[in-house]
Amino acid sequence: MCEKKTFYITTPIYYPSGNPHIGHCYTTVACDTIARYKRMQGYDVMFLTGTDEHGLKIEQKAAEKGVSPKAYVDEIAEIFKGLWRFMNIKYDRYIRTTDDYHIESVQKIFKELYDRGYIYKGEYKGKYCTPCESFWTESQLVDGKCPECGREVTEAKEEAYFFKMSPFADRIEKLLTETDYLRPKTRATELVNNFIKPGLEDLCVSRTTFKWGIPVTFDEKHVVYVWIDALSNYITALGYLNGAHDDYDKYWPADVHMVAKDIMRFHAIIWPAMLMALEQPLPKHLAVHGWITFNGQKMSKSLGNVVDPFVLGKRYGADAIRYHILREMALGADSSFSNEIMINRINSDLANGFGNLVSRTVAMAEKYFGGTLPVERESGEFDADLIAEVTALKAKVDDCIDKTQLQNALIEIFKVVSRANKYIDETTPWVLAKDEANKIRLATVLYNLLDTIRVVATLLSAFMPTTMPKALEQIGACEKCASYENAGTFGALPLDVTVKKGEALFPRIDVEKEIEELNAIIKNNDGESEEIKEIREELANVAQIGIDDFAKSDIRVGEVKACEKVKKSKKLLQFSIFDGADERTIVSGIAKYYKPEELVGKKILFVSNLKPVKLCGIESHGMILSAVHGEGDKEQLKLVIVGDDMPAGWKVS
Ligand code: MSP
């Protein structure tokens, strides 16, 4: 059997120095869309995101809050994950730079670079801000003062390690100017002129003035510079120099790293230099997008112009927000966010454009044919034009996805939506319906519309994964006819297709009323949406339990006497567990990971005092404990199997 082709895509790992905002959503939604599209095309996809949790800033933020840096990042990492669930982001792996395996790999990478002679010890000289404990370069100063706190800086020096970048200058210049690594390539000139032509300076890659970082193993007063730590995530997450994962050979080099322009230099120069020094293959593409701005400025908490995606998603649905941000931003340019533009776009493209096309077509199929079309056909004027546009669409979208041009992909898809709406005006089904003699022609027109919607909704499902399955259901498309393979051909719906009217896919929004309400929310907002507060509360509730809470669970050793698959389910196994006194039935959702026969005779741990529940009609008396790692398709699971010397019935305490 031939192996599936792989596709590896990454977002930057975000700083958990504040709550995520709509700007963070852009990159993650864009990567999620590409990942979903590639999965649909049959690729074996690895989509990585995560949080970049070390550094002075995090240490300071945690100190301000009076908590440890780890406790601080634990909470915000959960808020990021909560946002990704809310936005329907299906990542395969989430890396935190405080994960042990990442720390281990970064230490090995640093040592490897040192052993190869690319890292050496030197002295860092610069302007130092004592309260912020930060070095700044002359160009970073604002009016000669610290850009963080505005206080005076002094000339200072500190022992530090440096990474020699100059040996890679020529290769990096070629990478930027002669290959299609950088997207858009127009940005290569600024990089070459600003950083390479003046001579690539060695990079200071260790700090001694703060502790919240990865210690250099051979000189423990130094911690690894946060960018060496952060950039390494793209390979450590695959298991490079660690045993936690084993996919490096499978997925590396990455197909796409996507980042915003502010961190382009790190990904266009420093990251390739690190990989060259390690003699590892280079990623294939670096897609650089602009910022979502608000009143012309980058969104930031300190400017008070942060747009909270939870608030918007709750009002209009995550899909509408996904669509809006992807449709607004051209790769490489900034895009100015405004509530008004967003609402108008949702109304025009989603409610009036696509939503209306679906609801009108389905309503007409119900009204004129009771929901099921007759199988006879009679083609007519305008059909060929519509069909030609529909059948050409898939290749165009494929091409845009391959070039990371999601805005263009949506423009192409919505051209077809407009074409279909125009086809309704051209063919005037309501006029055809007046004369019984036109019945077959009318059925043909409606079929052509339904099949157009099928193609559009299939291709859009990577962009708007919640709503498109609903659209496909309304037009009566089964899973197979709504497959990616069928998106390039016309006529995949059965001739006697049956539609099913459903709720409005994108309800029209009252612009004035909404703007007023959104403004009121911004005014009364104390900086955090209800959803973020809820995540914090949930965490506070589960983060720590008293010993009394723990003592409520009765965990025991059990022996597996029998185990079989539950007939009606793909996921469940039914166990007969000897608990020291009796045999009890426990149903567990681990069929994907174990064959029943390999578990018989094993000693496991189980929670014995859970209230019984019925699963697939079988009453389950307890829960078998297992360890899980990873999420989604990449989830791994191992049962907690204990030694034979543990007698069944013994209590874990
Ligand atoms: N931690 C580093 C990245 C390390 S990657 C090895 C970092 N983090 S960040 O939290 O500041 O996030 C930067 C990324 O968030 C940007 O590259 C971009 O992908 C996204 N965005 C944050 N604000 C944004 C906008 N206002 N607009 C668009 N994207 C933005 O830098």
Side-chain angles (χ1 to χ4, degrees), residues 61-78:
K61 290 260 176 190
E64 271 166 34
K65 286 201 143 198
V67 295
S68 71
K70 182 69 168 70
Y72 176 79
V73 293
D74 279 351
E75 191 173 63
I76 304 198
E78 282 309 313

Side-chain angles (χ1 to χ4, degrees), residues 20-170:
H21 55 65
I22 196 100
H24 298 106
C25 281
Y26 177 78
T27 328
T28 311
V29 167
C31 289
D32 182 60
T33 301
I34 297 174
R36 284 176 183 273
Y37 200 90
K38 287 284 164 189
R39 280 187 207 115
M40 200 160 77
Q41 289 183 317
Y43 283 79
D44 174 339
V45 173
M46 170 60 78
F47 167 24
L48 174 73
T49 189
T51 27
D52 181 3
E53 305 185 353
H54 290 122
L56 176 65
K57 211 174 206 151
I58 303 281
E59 193 177 84
Q60 288 169 338
K61 290 260 176 190
E64 271 166 34
K65 286 201 143 198
V67 295
S68 71
K70 182 69 168 70
Y72 176 79
V73 293
D74 279 351
E75 191 173 63
I76 304 198
E78 282 309 313
I79 295 175
F80 270 92
K81 285 185 178 177
L83 175 61
W84 303 148
R85 274 195 301 278
F86 180 79
M87 295 299 293
N88 208 347
I89 302 294
K90 197 171 166 217
Y91 54 78
D92 297 294
R93 198 162 286 170
Y94 191 98
I95 186 167
R96 300 182 54 184
T97 53
T98 50
D99 289 339
D100 288 342
Y101 74 88
H102 172 78
I103 293 173
E104 176 193 339
S105 288
V106 169
Q107 289 181 323
K108 288 183 185 159
I109 289 171
F110 198 93
K111 180 75 172 33
E112 180 77 31
L113 293 172
Y114 180 78
D115 290 344
R116 286 172 182 252
Y118 292 116
I119 283 183
Y120 63 92
K121 200 178 204 169
E123 203 169 56
Y124 188 78
K125 287 197 203 100
K127 304 287 179 189
Y128 189 69
C129 172
T130 314
C132 292
E133 292 186 56
S134 295
F135 273 100
W136 303 105
T137 61
E138 202 69 56
S139 62
Q140 287 171 321
L141 300 179
V142 176
D143 298 330
K145 302 213 168 98
C146 170
E148 282 284 310
C149 69
R151 280 181 267 216
E152 293 294 334
V153 289
T154 50
E155 197 70 48
K157 49 188 177 184
E158 152 189 338
E159 174 190 293
Y161 286 90
F162 287 82
F163 174 39
K164 263 189 226 165
M165 303 262 283
S166 43
F168 310 108
D170 288 347

Side-chain angles (χ1 to χ4, degrees), residues 12-15 21 23-24 27 52 227 230 234 260 263 289-292:
I13 45 171
Y14 301 105
Y15 286 133
H21 55 65
H24 298 106
T27 328
D52 181 3
W227 273 100
Y234 300 128
I263 57 172
H289 61 78
W291 289 333
I292 295 187

